[in-house]
Each structure stands twice: as structure tokens, then as C-alpha cells.
Amino acid sequence: MGVLMSAIGFGIVTASILAVSSVGFTLQFSVTNVFNLSFGSVMTGTGFIAYALNTSGVSIWASMAIGALCGGVISVALNWLIFGRFIRHGISRFGMVIVTIATGLICDNTIQAFVGPTFYAYNAQPGKAFNLAGMLLTGQELIIIVIAAVMMTATHVGLKSTRLGAAMRGLSVNASLARACGVPTRRVVAVAWFASGVMAGIGSVALFLDTSTFAATTGSQFLIMVIAAAVLGGVGSAEGAVVGALVVGLATEITAAYWNPELKDVVAFVVLILVLLVRPQGMFSQLSSERTAVG
Amino acid sequence: MSAATQLYLATVSVYICVNVIASWALDIQFGVTGVLNFSFVVFQAAGAYTAAILSLGPSSSSGGFQRYVGGWRLPFPVPIIGAMVVGAVLAGVVGLVSLRRLRSDYQAMVMLVVSVIATIVAESQTGLVNGVAGISLVANPMVSLIHATRQTQIWIFVLFCVFCMALVGVVMYATVYSPFGRVLRAVRENDRAIEALGRNANRHRMQAFVIGGALAGLSGALLVEFIGAWAPNGWFYPETFVFFTAVIVGGRGSLTGVAVGAALVGVGVQQAVEYLPITLNPSVIASLEWIITGILTLVFLWTRPQGLLPERRRRFPTPWRSDAPELAERSAATKGDERG
């Protein structure tokens, strides 16, 4: 029982990090219909901005907040410089996937060229450990869980009960109809990219704290897990992404505890493939596959 | 020519042949049929490991310093044929899972995930293909086959690679420009229309996928027999992207174009970076190659999405219409505005 509870504890921490990241990924996808494979690079970039702040004396949580804002700016800049232009240029959906991969590779390797192949670690104390019903969690991990819970609630309320949220949902269902109804498409799209970048930033600092060391490739490696959680829930569905994150997080940590830590990611991916075989659209997605990209 | 120069030229030639074969393999999947195969490099790796295991003999024979499954010492062409078979079978399995009824972007993601799974399994299960260290000491088949100097043996292997590339080229031309190839292109352009005409689009995607898998296996087998070693850090999932860039730069669907793209991107970029007049840290050189590859892709997708040598647009006269040639001209003119 002790092993199971502590595995569930780790699973909830992993799921919190995954949930923030994959909601950011999926929110931007649902509004713009761009499958953004450079999301991992935005994560790495913000992680290193937070590292620069952190090593110059800023506390880790303040670094996370500033890093997240920078992530939002980077994300909007990528859309303004590259993605939006390609979409208005009339690129196909296949082409857009390749554009985001190319952008991600360029960003990752630019970061790598500056920071080198070494590993980095934040200057932060994990804090006192708490025992919650057998789950051993550090103060740091509890703060991560609280941040994730607050972010999820804010996203849910924002999407369901603000005008901006309504505009986003409108764009995700039918972009041209939303535009015809007077939704300022470009502005809403920019907000979606900003929100996605902010969540990438929070997710990356939380991830790098959790893994304790990180390098220039950590963000893009984690992206595969983020995509697994988002696709599992059904891309474009924020609630689905949270459930997907929980499934992936718990599956990986329980595998690590009971079977083989090296294969924990494989189990998560196999779960993803099995779910897609039964429900090809993911668990919660209601989006049609006929939509076109919006930039 | 000095021995070093000869070895350098031979190496570049083999890399060009291998990259051209691999890029054609991806072209029939992605360029011709429109399947975004993000696990492509896995099939190349599967071929390489198969060829290594089929020619090295049991793993105890090399003093037990590397461990892998099976291990046979089979005569020359058998390991290469085995690699093609394994590539095709693996493509069949992955295709069965991912090509079924998934949306095209989910398909791409599933294949990306397959690529990551394959790397994790190969790295963590050390008994399978010797884990992170990879398999080494794979012998060039010409060494035991032909009694000559090392130089001659290497050049004979280069000739063999060129022969394989030519053979694959002939087969590809026969396939891509046949009625079968036309159906594949129709699947790429409009899978609903082709299904309305009574064709099973998924079956055709599967066929292209398996053909590509076999050719990818062949490319891996040739490469491992030349360089002698194969390890997981040579086939991380971004490596697939090099072949995508080759296909995009060359011109998707166009065989000559893709061959040119494969030589330029797969070998040219790397060589160009090596000869930069400034001395750089080795890890910066690797990063620079990726950055150049990424920028090449973006530039081509923006300025010339059809590639250097675009796929020919074929026109067929409709003999039962008297105004047929004009009609073909007109429809070609309207179609010319579409972007690939």
C-alpha cells in the first residue's frame, strides 16, 4: 500500500505539470488549429530564462512567473514571425506540422549552441516533506500542485464565462463564422498563443524543478508526453487534456514503482495508442477534422 | 590519390546512395501517397540492426562484449534481404495500428510516439540490440567475398551501393509512374474521391507504407555494413526530419528531385558545415547542421513548396471530346494556382 500511495503522489505531481503544459498546447490548437511541435522549445527557452534569473538571485517562484510571461511573448512572436505568415500564405495542414517541427529544431539547437550539452539545475530548496495519507510530497511539489489547480480552474472559468473565452470557443468551432460575427480573430489568436506560452513557461519551470536537472533537449523530450496527454483527452478539449494528464501521470509513476522505471514512458505511450484504436478522436474531442488553420 | 582521400570519397558516395534510397522510401510514403511518417528513421534502424545481427554471428562469438537477440553468420546478400523483410514487416505492423481510421495529424503523432517508444526500448533493454552502446564490428561483406586490397574492397562496396540505388530507382520509376502510382497520388490529393471510385484508400496507404519500409530497411543495411556500427543516438526521432527536408527541398513526388534533395540535404549540409573556415566546438557544429536543415525547410516551404525539381503534372487527352486539348489546358491552368 505504501508503494502504491507514494507512486500515486508522484503521479499527481507529474500529472499537474503535464496538465498545465497540455492545456496550453491544446488551447492554442483548438483556437488556431496549428499542431504546434515547437511547444517543447518554448518550454526549454523559458526554462533557461528562469534559470538566468534564478542564478542571479531571484527566487524560483518569481523566476517562474517572469519566465512564463517571457514564454507568452516568445510564443506570440513565433506566431507573428513564422506560423501566422505561413497560414496566410496558404500552406497545407501537412506543411504546417513540418513548419512547426522545423521551428522547434531551429530554436532547440540555437539554445543548445549557447548552453552546450551540459545539464543545469535551479538553485531552489525542495522544502520540508509532508506525509499526506502515505503520499510523501515536498513543499515544492505541493506548490506545483496548487499552481496547476489554480491554472486549470482559471482556464475553465475563463473559457466558460468571459467574452474572450466565448470568442475562443467560437473560433475553435467555426473560424469564418466567428469572424463574420465580429470576433477580432487576429487578437484572439494572439491571446491564445500568449496563454499557451505562459502555460509552457509554468510547465517547464515546474518540470525542471521536478526532474532536478535539465538540458537543451529536456523540453522537446517532454513534449511527446504533453502530446500524449493532449491527444489522449482529445486535442482541443481542455478538460480532456486534464484527464489525459492524470492518466499519463499515474500510469507512468505506477509503472515506475511496480515494474521498470526505464519503461514508464513507454507504458504511457502504449495507453495512448490503445485509446486511439478504440476512440480515434481521443476521449473528449468534439472538434471536426475539417477545420482550417487560423493565423 | 592518397588512401585517406579515397576513403573520404568512398564514404561520401556511400552516404549519398544510402540517403537517396532512404529519401525515395520516404517519398513514396510522404511525397507520393501523403502519409506523414514521423517514425521513418525507425525502419532504417530496424534494417541496420537486422543486417548486423544476421552477419555478426551469435553474440557470444565476439567475446561477449555486446549482447543482442539471435545472431547468425549468413552469406552476403542474405542480411540485406533480411533487413528489407524486417523493414517491410515492421511497417506493416505500425501501419496496421496508425493508418486505420485516425485523423492525419493524429496519425503523424502516433508515428512520432512509435519512434520515441522504439528508442526507449532499444536503449533500456540492453539484451535486445546492446542498449545505448549499440552494435559494432559489423564487417563489410566485400572483405570476406573478394580477395583484394582494402581499397579495392571498399570501392567494390561503393559500386554495389550505386547498383542498389540504380535498381531501386528503376523499381521506383516503374511504380510511381504506373497506374498504381497514379492511384497513390490520387489518395494524396483526395482520399474521399478515390474511395467514391471504389478504391480502398487505407489499403493503398498501407501498400506505400510497406514498400517504403522495405526500402528504408535496405538503406539501413547498406549503411551499417559500410560504417560497421549502429547505436540509438544515430536514430533519435528528429533524424526523420532530415529525410523530410530532403523530400521537400527536392520536390515531393518527383524522383529526380528527391535524389538531388537527398544529396544536398543529407550529405551536402553536413559537408558544408565541416568545411567552415572557423573552428567551432563539435557540439556547436552538430547544432548548426540542424539549424541549417530547419531554415532550409522553412525557406523552401515559403518560396518554393514544390521543390527544386517539381513533380510533373501529367495531362491526359480525353479522346471522346473534340475540344479535349483545350479543356486539358484550361483545367491545368486553374489547377496551377493551387499550392502543395
Side-chain angles (χ1 to χ4, degrees), chain B:
Chain B
M1 260 194 295
S2 76
T5 325
Q6 284 205 26
L7 183 62
Y8 172 73
L9 287 178
T11 310
V12 170
S13 321
V14 171
Y15 268 92
I16 289 178
C17 294
V18 166
N19 272 304
V20 169
I21 295 175
S23 302
W24 276 338
L26 181 64
D27 190 45
I28 197 166
Q29 297 175 338
F30 161 66
V32 177
T33 320
V35 180
L36 268 185
N37 180 8
F38 282 155
S39 57
F40 179 77
V41 79
V42 172
F43 304 111
Q44 191 183 38
Y49 282 129
T50 308
I53 287 171
L54 291 184
S55 58
L56 269 173
S59 64
S60 53
S61 68
S62 53
F65 88 97
Q66 49 185 3
R67 292 193 296 141
Y68 44 80
V69 204
W72 294 270
R73 206 184 292 278
L74 299 176
F76 160 60
V78 182
I80 295 177
I81 295 166
M84 293 181 71
V85 172
V86 168
V89 170
L90 193 65
V93 174
V94 174
L96 267 185
V97 176
S98 58
L99 293 182
R100 285 179 21 144
R101 40 195 189 122
L102 293 181
R103 280 169 46 165
S104 59
D105 41 3
Y106 279 25
Q107 264 178 20
M109 287 320 106
V110 167
M111 290 186 201
L112 192 64
V113 162
V114 165
S115 189
V116 177
I117 292 179
T119 318
I120 298 177
V121 170
E123 283 190 340
S124 63
Q125 305 305 101
T126 24
L128 197 62
V129 283
N130 204 34
V132 182
I135 295 183
S136 52
L137 296 184
V138 184
N140 186 328
M142 300 307 158
V143 171
S144 51
L145 215 63
I146 291 154
H147 295 286
T149 61
R150 182 81 183 135
Q151 301 282 332
T152 325
Q153 287 168 340
I154 286 176
W155 281 110
I156 290 174
F157 189 77
V158 172
L159 282 181
F160 174 66
C161 288
V162 173
F163 167 74
C164 285
M165 181 177 76
L167 195 66
V168 172
V170 170
V171 174
M172 285 289 288
Y173 268 91
T175 315
V176 170
Y177 300 121
S178 68
F180 172 65
R182 215 151 50 226
V183 177
L184 294 185
R185 279 192 296 277
V187 170
R188 174 190 73 192
E189 295 296 330
N190 192 338
D191 55 349
R192 294 210 174 153
I194 205 73
E195 287 196 335
L197 291 173
R199 293 288 197 151
N200 184 340
N202 270 347
R203 219 179 93 209
H204 291 304
R205 284 198 190 98
M206 189 73 174
Q207 288 161 340
F209 208 65
V210 170
I211 297 172
L215 295 179
L218 170 68
S219 74
L222 291 177
L223 190 56
V224 79
E225 295 200 327
F226 187 75
I227 59 177
W230 197 268
N233 68 3
W235 53 279
F236 281 153
Y237 69 92
E239 298 288 336
T240 299
F241 189 71
V242 176
F243 299 112
F244 269 97
T245 308
V247 171
I248 288 166
V249 167
R252 54 185 290 206
S254 143
L255 292 180
T256 22
V258 167
V260 172
L264 281 181
V265 178
V267 183
V269 169
Q270 195 191 12
Q271 294 304 315
V273 174
E274 301 283 332
Y275 284 111
L276 276 182
I278 34 173
T279 35
L280 288 169
N281 189 322
S283 78
V284 175
I285 290 184
S287 300
L288 199 57
E289 278 174 34
W290 283 113
I291 295 173
I292 294 173
T293 310
I295 291 176
L296 262 181
T297 315
L298 290 187
V299 167
F300 267 84
L301 282 177
W302 182 266
T303 58
R304 210 176 154 79
Q306 72 275 39
L308 285 174
L309 302 170
E311 182 179 32
R312 262 186 305 157
R313 193 173 287 284
R314 303 203 129 198
R315 290 172 193 173
F316 298 96
T318 30
W320 61 87
R321 298 277 297 262
S322 54
D323 58 346
E326 278 174 47
L327 198 77
E329 286 289 338
R330 232 183 299 151
S331 79
T334 48
K335 280 198 167 176
D337 296 332
E338 283 178 9
R339 287 182 189 280

Side-chain angles (χ1 to χ4, degrees), chain A residues 74-96:
Chain A
I74 295 173
S75 186
V76 171
L78 284 180
N79 180 48
W80 182 71
L81 279 173
I82 303 174
F83 306 143
R85 285 169 201 257
F86 268 103
I87 293 165
R88 289 192 294 278
H89 202 62
I91 196 163
S92 67
R93 190 154 82 186
F94 280 158
M96 205 53 220

